[in-house]
Amino acid sequence: MESIITKPTEYCDICGKRKATDTHHAIEGSNRMASDRHGLTLHICRECHTELHHSAVSESLSQMIGQLAFEKHEIEEGRDANSARNYFRNAFGRSYI
């Protein structure tokens, strides 16, 4: 699925300077496939991807951004806010907010 977090471009979603060569899953680990299925991906350069995975703060922010994008998308599709949050919890096993 296409990313629901950002619009596709050829440049890194984080720095905007280098070509996007990597796909970062906003929710990693065992939820990587769910991130793909729900469009929770960023298209970023190798340098930003490496930096992101070496920072606990960046990883936490990535998870929160992913959850917010997911919930916003579900609300736009007609769910209420509580249902969107519960749907996220069911899909990913927890809340990051």
Side-chain angles (χ1 to χ4, degrees):
M1 176 178 197
E2 189 173 293
S3 177
I4 63 168
I5 299 173
T6 61
K7 303 265 188 249
T9 70
E10 66 181 288
Y11 294 99
C12 177
D13 289 337
I14 294 175
C15 72
K17 296 182 224 174
R18 294 177 289 269
K19 293 234 181 218
T21 56
D22 295 6
T23 298
H24 172 70
H25 297 83
I27 314 295
E28 286 281 332
S30 62
N31 289 313
R32 190 174 194 186
M33 297 295 283
S35 282
D36 276 336
R37 190 170 44 257
H38 294 288
L40 302 182
T41 56
L42 295 168
H43 304 288
I44 60 180
C45 67
R46 170 55 53 180
E47 291 85 351
C48 287
H49 203 185
T50 300
E51 215 172 293
L52 195 149
H53 280 288
H54 286 93
S55 168
V57 171
S58 295
E59 192 65 28
S60 292
L61 286 173
S62 174
Q63 293 164 337
M64 290 190 303
I65 289 167
Q67 181 172 346
L68 290 170
F70 179 99
E71 291 178 8
K72 178 180 182 273
H73 178 76
E74 291 303 313
I75 290 167
E76 289 170 349
E77 294 293 312
R79 290 186 195 267
D80 63 75
N82 287 331
S83 294
R85 173 94 17 116
N86 287 331
Y87 184 41
F88 181 88
R89 284 185 184 128
N90 288 336
F92 292 93
R94 63 169 286 196
S95 175
Y96 294 95
I97 299 173

